[in-house]
Amino acid sequence: MMSEVAAVVAKKAAPGWFDGVVPVATVVGVLLVIWYIAAIPMNTRADVVAEGKIAALGGGWFNTIAIAWSADRPRLPVPHQIGQELWKTVVLADPTLPRSLLFHVWGTLGPTLLGFAMGSLLGCALAIGIVHVRSLDKSLMPWIIASQSIPILAIAPMIVTVMGNYGITGLLPKAVISMFLCFFPVAIGMVKGLTSPEAMQLDLMRTYNAGALQTLWKLRMPASLPFLFASLKVAISVALVGAIVGELSTGVAAGLGARMLTGSYYGQILQIWAALFAAACLSCLLIWAVNRAQHITNRMMGAQS
């Protein structure tokens, strides 16, 4: 009887999906209200055509708001305008043509994944070297940290120019820029994870006469997995940023960065915002994929995900 009562109490105390949705929905709702309100003074002052329409309609706050939320070239597009642009460029447009956002998403996804893979491997290799070679900890770690103080907007054109001089163009320069950004969180996270086993566990491995490679594979690597996946979630998002910055530097025709650049050239504000939202959605999708990989890995290792 007592066990049944305890089970019912625990079930009621356990947070459900509704408890997680309400706070997020509240924050989103507040942001949307602020967004719509901020768009009114910005768009009515910026759009001359809209001001003419307001005068023709006789003014009034209702007409002012209606015109501000439907301006042809708004300074601050409102969410429903961005939604209409996404619908037009994602659902209605042919995905094989440059007018489609899916065409540009695919152009950005390739260098993002390649740069993420290269950066993850480089970060793991550096972390293993730092953990096992004491001199690397003193000499290499400061340079790894210092590398992230260089603005990516400054170094991206240098990478593109140097690789272009050797005839390397297209996908690889953008992937290298992504790698430069995403190797850092992986390296730092893996160093923390590989050094997380306690001294008693390391002494036990030495008692079993395990070598450095066996200790790495059987103790350090399993202990580092939570740190690794936390770092990979950060790395995949910054890899996307690196790919977009690379597109801005190379001036390619396909990619979300190229879409934003074209929109800025021709004053297509809605096009820029739609590309930004597409990049955000792509980032969420990639982080979700890493999270699913973590759950699968935990399940294979017999741990609770």
Side-chain angles (χ1 to χ4, degrees):
M1 181 66 180
M2 292 298 295
S3 61
E4 294 178 357
V5 173
V8 172
V9 172
K11 184 177 181 180
K12 290 183 177 180
W17 67 270
F18 186 77
D19 297 328
V21 169
V22 171
V24 175
T26 302
V27 173
V28 171
V30 171
L31 290 177
L32 288 176
V33 171
I34 295 174
W35 191 341
Y36 273 99
I37 293 174
I40 297 172
M42 293 188 67
N43 294 341
T44 53
R45 287 201 304 264
D47 199 302
V48 177
V49 176
E51 291 177 354
K53 290 179 180 178
I54 294 172
L57 292 174
W61 65 268
F62 182 80
N63 293 331
T64 301
I65 293 174
I67 296 300
W69 290 351
S70 61
D72 296 330
R73 290 179 179 269
R75 281 188 177 180
L76 180 62
V78 287
H80 74 265
Q81 289 180 301
I82 301 173
Q84 291 171 356
E85 180 69 16
L86 288 171
W87 177 265
K88 183 173 64 176
T89 56
V90 174
V91 179
L92 301 181
D94 186 351
T96 62
L97 297 178
R99 294 188 62 182
S100 172
L101 262 180
L102 295 178
F103 175 85
H104 296 283
V105 166
W106 184 255
T108 301
L109 184 60
T112 298
L113 295 179
L114 180 58
F116 171 70
M118 295 165 57
S120 300
L121 292 176
L122 177 60
C124 291
L126 290 174
I128 293 172
I130 289 171
V131 169
H132 288 86
V133 182
R134 186 175 297 273
S135 60
L136 291 180
D137 187 17
K138 302 296 183 181
S139 61
L140 191 58
M141 183 60 78
W143 288 105
I144 293 176
I145 297 174
S147 68
Q148 301 305 299
S149 64
I150 304 174
I152 189 61
L153 288 175
I155 198 172
M158 298 169 57
I159 294 175
V160 173
T161 302
V162 171
M163 298 186 70
N165 289 334
Y166 290 95
I168 304 174
T169 58
L171 180 71
L172 194 56
K174 295 185 291 183
V176 170
I177 297 171
S178 295
M179 179 192 71
F180 178 79
L181 284 179
C182 73
F183 89 93
F184 177 75
V186 176
I188 298 300
M190 281 298 289
V191 168
K192 179 66 176 177
L194 292 174
T195 56
S196 62
E198 299 177 358
M200 184 180 299
Q201 296 172 323
L202 295 172
D203 290 339
L204 182 62
M205 295 299 292
R206 283 191 287 269
T207 302
Y208 292 153
N209 198 27
L213 185 60
Q214 291 176 313
T215 302
L216 172 67
W217 184 250
K218 295 183 179 296
L219 176 60
R220 293 188 185 273
M221 288 298 292
S224 68
L225 286 180
F227 300 88
L228 173 62
F229 280 105
S231 301
L232 291 179
K233 293 173 187 178
V234 178
I236 192 66
S237 60
V238 296
L240 177 61
V241 173
I244 293 175
V245 171
E247 291 166 354
L248 295 175
S249 303
T250 56
V252 294
L256 293 174
R259 183 76 170 176
M260 297 176 195
L261 198 60
T262 304
S264 65
Y265 284 158
Y266 296 100
Q268 298 294 331
I269 306 300
L270 285 173
Q271 180 176 310
I272 298 174
W273 279 84
L276 287 172
F277 268 71
C281 293
L282 179 59
S283 178
C284 293
L285 181 62
L286 293 173
I287 293 173
W288 174 84
V290 175
N291 193 52
R292 291 305 307 165
Q294 181 180 9
H295 289 330
I296 293 172
T297 303
N298 290 340
R299 194 177 301 115
M300 291 175 62
M301 297 183 65
Q304 291 184 353
S305 57

